[in-house]
Structures are given as C-alpha cells and as structure tokens.
Amino acid sequence: MRIARILTVLAGLSVSGARSDVCLAAESATASVVVTAQFGSRTSLKVSTEWLQFDVTAADQSAVAIVEFSAAARTRQSGEVVLTVERAGALSGPGGVADVGASLTVSIRGDGGPDGALDPSAPIVAGRWVGSGRRTGHLAFSLRSSVPGVYSLPVRFVLSAP
C-alpha cells in the first residue's frame, strides 16, 4: 500500500510539471515474513521387467527370476516410502496350465525390506525406506514346482510415498 501511495505522488508531481529538485521524503520499514511451503510427494520407479519367467528343470526344484529396480522419491521429512509387488495375472506353466502346488517367494537385495511369499490375492511389501532419495537393488523371485517346465507370471510394482 505504501509503495502505491509513493508511486501516485510521483506520478502526480511529474504530471503537474513539478521541478526536478523537489525531494520526497520516504519512510523505510523493516519486517519479517514467515513463509511455509508444502510440497507433495513424488515417486519414480523403473523396473527391468514386469513379466517373470521361470525355467523349472526338475521336479521340486526352484527356478529364479531377477528384477532390478531403481526407486526415487521426494517426500516430507521422515516420510515413509513403500515398494509393493503383486501378481498382475495368473501363473501359466507347461501347456498353459500352472502347477497349483507351486510356491512363489520374493526376496529383496539392496536397499529394502523383508522376504515373503507372493500371495495371489494381495500385494506384499518388497521394500520400505524413510526419507527422500534414490534406492536401487533387485528382487529375486523364486518358483518351486513339482512339474518341470517354463512358467511365466505378470507382476505389478507400485512405489508410494503417502
């Protein structure tokens, strides 16, 4: 407001043909301003594949599929970042039919979380971190089946920073 008044006076003086040697008295003031900014969380996730393929060579043997990941997040201070993985479809096996007794587990190598079984009905936490930054690692999926053959499974990865 004060600047607007000064500008109005200056404009009035220049229009009225005032002499250039007229001095204006200006007040000076100092104040503190508190600014608070909040930034929303942001995530970025890159995975090497979303399609797991297993080659079980003998009955009751395990086959492994590796997925490399790079996860980046910007979150509030001490905010939690969670990487989940879930089945995005059915496990298919030899002849298009999966072994119903097959078990699928996942373990994480690098920055992250616990090992666990990949349940067909719910996602599991594959990694959990605190704070912003970039994390890399790989997930090792292990399939154990009583029927040898090539198996495949689509998976979905989600990185969130609530």
Side-chain angles (χ1 to χ4, degrees), residues 61-82:
Q61 293 285 325
S62 292
V64 176
I66 303 293
V67 176
E68 295 182 9
F69 70 89
S70 174
R74 180 185 70 196
T75 185
R76 61 180 165 70
Q77 187 176 7
S78 301
E80 186 176 60
V81 180
V82 179

Side-chain angles (χ1 to χ4, degrees), residues 12-107:
L13 288 175
S14 65
V15 169
S16 67
R19 292 184 11 207
S20 61
D21 61 341
V22 175
C23 294
L24 294 176
E27 288 184 32
S28 107
T30 305
S32 297
V33 176
V34 177
V35 177
T36 302
Q38 292 185 3
F39 298 95
S41 297
R42 182 174 179 190
T43 60
S44 172
L45 177 64
K46 294 179 182 169
V47 293
S48 59
T49 185
E50 292 182 345
W51 195 264
L52 305 179
Q53 190 159 346
F54 304 95
D55 187 9
V56 178
T57 56
D60 293 321
Q61 293 285 325
S62 292
V64 176
I66 303 293
V67 176
E68 295 182 9
F69 70 89
S70 174
R74 180 185 70 196
T75 185
R76 61 180 165 70
Q77 187 176 7
S78 301
E80 186 176 60
V81 180
V82 179
L83 173 63
T84 59
V85 61
E86 64 185 335
R87 292 183 181 206
L91 177 69
S92 62
V97 179
D99 177 10
V100 293
S103 65
L104 181 63
T105 58
V106 61
S107 61

Side-chain angles (χ1 to χ4, degrees), residues 4-17 24:
R5 281 191 221 148
I6 291 172
L7 291 176
T8 303
V9 170
L10 287 174
L13 288 175
S14 65
V15 169
S16 67
L24 294 176

